[in-house]
């Protein structure tokens, strides 16, 4: 067990320190220190430099992410010293505010204490900001993707609001204590009401989406050390909202409504009404975010940025790993170079991993 940990630590320290142009002596010294820590307490602690570099490289190694050109610009906030749910909630509010930055979104990660034999911290939310979903007699209200988590929140005492876009509370758990709930104050959550540059009726749908996707359920693994609470964000690619969250049949399922409002023949698939509705929904998403000054990227630009990432990595002599099935955008994939390429889906570390749901 501890042998494995030291092996993982060695691999990480060697690659991290050599990328940072540190000397062989520095590597040896650090490994000696790490070995001592592991022998005396069963684990070791990263330096601030190791933590920052590990979190960045974990992004660089995220095979499913098309936005990796910016891996080196991740803002790393070290909150490993926090001890209580209240302090953690405070740090999450700070993360939301800092990352949102009034719309000029900053890629950010907040890192809470690592997993040790004595302590595990977890954030139950899938993303810090997410809309609730409720099962009602008339079907699902809100985001069907949030049904299970919303039920948990209600069990824990959250008051359901029964709206289409209710922001769920933060749920934070330390060890086996019962999880604590924290409401996110309205002024912290930047949201974008959706309108269309040509279709005046679009705003009558009263659709919106939140500005910053902050994934909070994954764990960060660096050199054999596990950070079970390490929420991170970039900015949205338009299709995530327009071609998935609002369009999937198992999510907000808005294409039939939009198609009908466009006057399309939604009975015949050869009218391509779904494709036309998708296009206009995605146009509305990009138009509204742009107009409100909230960072967003369209899928063509994102693919070009990914191309640049591939070229840069090649230049440095690193190979890019990737998951083709996730890298292709859900709209017009063959209009990007990614569709016509192939990628090695090997999982390198450091990386972000799914972990079992705590509920
Ligand atoms: N696809 C997820 C969503 O629609 C967000 C995943 C992370 N996306 C990102 N652009 N960093 O909410």
């Amino acid at each position: 067990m501890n042998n494995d940990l030291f092996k993982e630590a060695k691999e990480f320290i060697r690659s991290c320190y050599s990328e940072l142009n540190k000397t062989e002596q520095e590597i040896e010294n650090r490994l000696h220190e790490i070995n001592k820590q592991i022998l005396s307490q069963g684990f070791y602690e990263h330096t601030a430099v190791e933590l920052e570099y590990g979190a960045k490289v974990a992004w660089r190694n995220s095979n499913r992410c098309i936005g990796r050109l910016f891996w080196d610009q991740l803002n790393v906030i070290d909150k490993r010293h926090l001890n209580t749910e209240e302090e953690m909630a405070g740090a999450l509010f700070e993360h939301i505010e800092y990352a949102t930055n009034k719309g000029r979104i900053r890629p950010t990660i907040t890192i809470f204490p690592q997993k040790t034999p004595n302590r595990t911290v977890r954030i139950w939310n899938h993303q810090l900001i997410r809309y609730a979903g409720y099962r009602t007699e008339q079907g699902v209200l809100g985001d069907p993707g949030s049904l299970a988590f919303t039920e948990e929140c209600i069990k824990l005492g959250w008051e359901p609001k029964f709206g289409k876009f209710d922001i769920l509370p933060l749920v934070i758990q330390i060890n086996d204590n019962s999880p604590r709930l924290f409401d996110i104050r309205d002024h912290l959550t930047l949201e974008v009401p959706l309108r269309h540059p040509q279709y005046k009726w679009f705003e009558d749908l009263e659709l919106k989406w939140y500005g910053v996707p902050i994934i909070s359920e994954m764990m960060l693994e660096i050199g054999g050390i596990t950070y079970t609470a390490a929420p991170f964000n970039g900015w949205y690619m338009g299709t995530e909202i327009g071609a998935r969250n609002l369009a999937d049949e198992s999510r907000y399922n808005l294409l039939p409504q939009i198609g009908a409002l466009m006057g399309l023949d939604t009975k015949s698939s050869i009218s391509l009404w779904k494709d036309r509705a998708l296009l206009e929904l995605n146009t509305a998403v990009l138009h509204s975010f742009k107009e409100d000054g909230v960072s967003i990227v369209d899928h063509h630009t994102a693919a070009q940025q990914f191309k640049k990432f591939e070229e840069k990595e090649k230049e440095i002599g690193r190979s890019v790993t990737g998951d083709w099935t996730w890298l292709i955008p859900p709209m017009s994939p063959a209009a990007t170079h990614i569709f016509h390429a192939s990628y090695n889906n090997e999982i390198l570390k450091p990386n972000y991993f799914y972990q079992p749901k705590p509920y």
Side-chain angles (χ1 to χ4, degrees):
M1 174 69 191
N2 284 353
N3 264 335
D4 291 356
L5 177 54
F6 189 59
K7 191 167 153 265
E8 296 272 349
K10 258 196 295 204
E11 256 174 61
F12 168 65
I13 295 298
R14 286 196 185 287
S15 73
C16 167
Y17 277 44
S18 67
E19 277 190 38
L20 293 173
N21 292 319
K22 301 209 184 273
T23 64
E24 198 57 37
Q25 189 59 55
E26 286 173 296
I27 295 178
E28 287 312 316
N29 292 347
R30 179 60 178 138
L31 284 177
H32 184 73
E33 201 174 281
I34 287 175
N35 195 33
K36 260 190 357 206
Q37 283 188 33
I38 294 178
L39 287 177
S40 72
Q41 58 183 1
F43 56 88
Y44 71 102
E45 272 162 43
H46 290 125
T47 65
V49 171
E50 291 161 6
L51 188 73
E52 174 168 345
Y53 207 71
K56 287 178 174 179
V57 173
W59 183 6
R60 190 177 80 201
N61 288 336
S62 291
N63 290 2
R64 295 175 163 184
C65 176
I66 193 176
R68 285 180 275 164
L69 175 61
F70 305 101
W71 69 273
D72 201 21
Q73 291 165 44
L74 181 65
N75 293 279
V76 180
I77 305 178
D78 185 356
K79 293 287 180 185
R80 288 177 295 170
H81 52 282
L82 300 191
N83 286 310
T84 66
E85 296 90 341
E86 281 81 5
E87 289 173 332
M88 285 180 66
L92 294 177
F93 297 147
E94 281 172 33
H95 182 133
I96 292 171
E97 191 163 25
Y98 180 83
T100 304
N101 193 24
K102 299 185 159 62
R104 275 186 56 92
I105 296 172
R106 291 186 275 224
T108 304
I109 184 169
T110 298
I111 303 177
F112 293 107
Q114 70 190 58
K115 186 179 173 62
T116 69
N118 296 321
R119 180 162 58 178
T120 305
V121 295
R122 285 294 296 267
I123 299 164
W124 283 25
N125 309 64
H126 158 64
Q127 291 180 30
L128 296 187
I129 300 169
R130 200 62 164 171
Y131 298 125
Y134 313 93
R135 225 181 285 281
T136 75
E137 315 264 272
Q138 296 83 251
V140 173
L141 178 55
D143 191 343
S146 297
L147 281 173
F149 179 63
T150 304
E151 252 172 57
E152 290 299 324
C153 290
I154 295 170
K155 269 195 232 158
L156 292 167
W158 185 67
E159 195 73 53
K161 316 271 179 306
F162 298 112
K164 257 177 90 145
F165 298 103
D166 301 338
I167 292 175
L168 289 156
L170 298 175
V171 180
I172 301 170
Q173 182 176 32
I174 299 180
N175 295 336
D176 291 330
N177 305 330
S178 60
R180 301 273 318 269
L181 265 58
F182 301 89
D183 278 318
I184 306 175
R185 307 226 341 254
D186 284 348
H187 74 274
L188 278 178
T189 51
L190 181 57
E191 294 180 291
V192 178
L194 300 184
R195 60 273 189 193
H196 187 282
Q198 284 93 38
Y199 299 144
K200 198 66 191 91
W201 49 262
F202 198 96
E203 60 194 66
D204 301 333
L205 288 163
E206 296 190 15
L207 303 177
K208 63 175 173 178
W209 202 255
Y210 55 87
V212 191
I214 314 171
I215 301 289
S216 48
E217 69 186 352
M218 296 180 86
M219 61 108 145
L220 164 60
E221 187 185 325
I222 305 173
I225 298 295
T226 299
Y227 297 95
T228 49
F232 59 85
N233 73 276
W235 47 77
Y236 265 117
M237 179 163 81
T239 52
E240 297 184 85
I241 303 168
R244 302 299 312 280
N245 299 342
L246 296 178
D248 277 4
E249 284 181 13
S250 59
R251 298 291 299 286
Y252 279 84
N253 189 24
L254 285 159
L255 297 186
Q257 225 178 318
I258 293 171
L261 284 162
M262 287 173 69
L264 302 173
D265 178 4
T266 59
K267 294 271 123 30
S268 144
S269 58
I270 70 162
S271 71
L272 297 187
W273 67 270
K274 278 192 181 177
D275 309 72
R276 288 178 183 266
L278 257 178
L279 183 60
E280 300 312 337
L281 173 54
N282 280 273
T283 301
V285 168
L286 291 169
H287 166 78
S288 308
F289 271 65
K290 264 265 124 64
E291 202 172 63
D292 283 4
V294 180
S295 305
I296 194 160
V297 66
D298 68 82
H299 48 295
H300 304 289
T301 304
Q304 278 179 326
Q305 291 169 342
F306 188 70
K307 175 104 208 153
K308 196 158 163 208
F309 169 68
E310 293 175 78
E311 289 164 359
K312 268 185 139 176
E313 290 299 296
K314 191 166 174 196
E315 216 170 285
I316 303 170
R318 285 191 295 255
S319 59
V320 169
T321 55
D323 182 344
W324 187 93
T325 64
W326 275 60
L327 287 171
I328 55 163
M331 278 183 82
S332 316
T336 71
H337 79 281
I338 301 171
F339 183 90
H340 307 277
S342 61
Y343 297 90
N344 168 15
N345 195 17
E346 193 185 335
I347 308 297
L348 302 179
K349 288 179 185 180
N351 215 319
Y352 299 97
F353 293 97
Y354 292 120
Q355 47 187 344
K357 282 213 168 27
Y359 57 90

